[in-house]
Amino acid sequence: MIKLVAALSLAALVAGCSGVDPNSPAGKRHAAYEKVGAANKALGKVFEAPTPDLAAAAEPIATLKAQAAVLPSLFPAGSGPESGQKTEALPAIWSDPAGFSTAMNNFTGAVAKLDAAHAAGDLAATKAAAADLGKTCKACHTKYRKKD
Ligand code: HEC
């Protein structure tokens, strides 16, 4: 158990999650986006295969759905850089709430589309929806996430 905890905190350090209270909104965002990032990667792998296995997409899609359900609530006022927590969230999130909300809705909408296409067993539509989802990550990061 102690070993597991050590391994987990090491993983957190490697992922750049140090310097943040895991219970703060910023800490919860880091954790949520780490899962989103991993699920998105796993999804990319599924569709890189010569013969994509739709069943293998089920788990990453379930993760994306779960995170899409909580992420919109993880940006309360005051949880930006001024919170003192380590965060890559830009002040524009709060100064441009309509723009940010559109970017968030595009993301949650893309996840819903992906989920529906997958549930219908439609390989081509699922692949296309996964590609569309990727565009929503980029669109939001460009405007609302600090670059290193
Ligand atoms: C609506 C805006 C938005 C969308 C859509 C979005 N992100 Fe992000 N993402 C952010 C913000 C803001 C941060 C920085 C959060 C912080 O540091 O407080 C972030 C951080 C991250 C991180 C770094 C996590 C960490 O702290 O270690 C990863 C990885 C990531 N996003 C992946 C993705 C992927 C993959 C997608 C699409 C499937 C995506 N994001 C969609 C806004 C977004």
Side-chain angles (χ1 to χ4, degrees), residues 2 10 13 31 51 54 74-75 83 88 101 104 107 109 139 146:
I2 289 175
L10 182 65
L13 280 174
T51 323
L54 258 192
L74 296 184
F75 292 89
S83 67
E88 293 175 345
S101 156
M104 185 61 86
F107 165 71
K146 194 171 92 189

Side-chain angles (χ1 to χ4, degrees), residues 10 29 43 57 59 74 117 130 148:
L10 182 65
R29 291 196 296 262
L43 209 54
E59 200 178 312
L74 296 184
D148 295 320

Side-chain angles (χ1 to χ4, degrees), residues 49-134:
T51 323
D53 172 15
L54 258 192
E59 200 178 312
I61 291 173
T63 300
L64 287 166
K65 255 177 89 175
Q67 300 313 314
V70 295
L71 271 165
S73 68
L74 296 184
F75 292 89
S79 69
E82 73 278 22
S83 67
Q85 299 292 329
K86 185 170 176 255
T87 177
E88 293 175 345
L90 287 178
I93 291 170
W94 295 277
S95 63
D96 174 26
F100 183 69
S101 156
T102 299
M104 185 61 86
N105 288 338
N106 288 342
F107 165 71
T108 56
V111 171
K113 258 196 173 161
L114 174 68
D115 185 41
H118 181 261
D122 187 334
L123 180 60
T126 308
K127 189 175 178 178
D132 285 347
L133 172 68

Side-chain angles (χ1 to χ4, degrees), residues 3-4 9 13-14 18 28 30 35 51 70 83 89-90 92 100-101 110 118 124 138:
K3 257 191 191 152
L4 178 65
S9 49
L13 280 174
V14 170
S18 55
K28 290 180 183 168
H30 287 298
K35 289 180 192 162
T51 323
V70 295
S83 67
L90 287 178
F100 183 69
S101 156
H118 181 261
K138 227 181 173 177

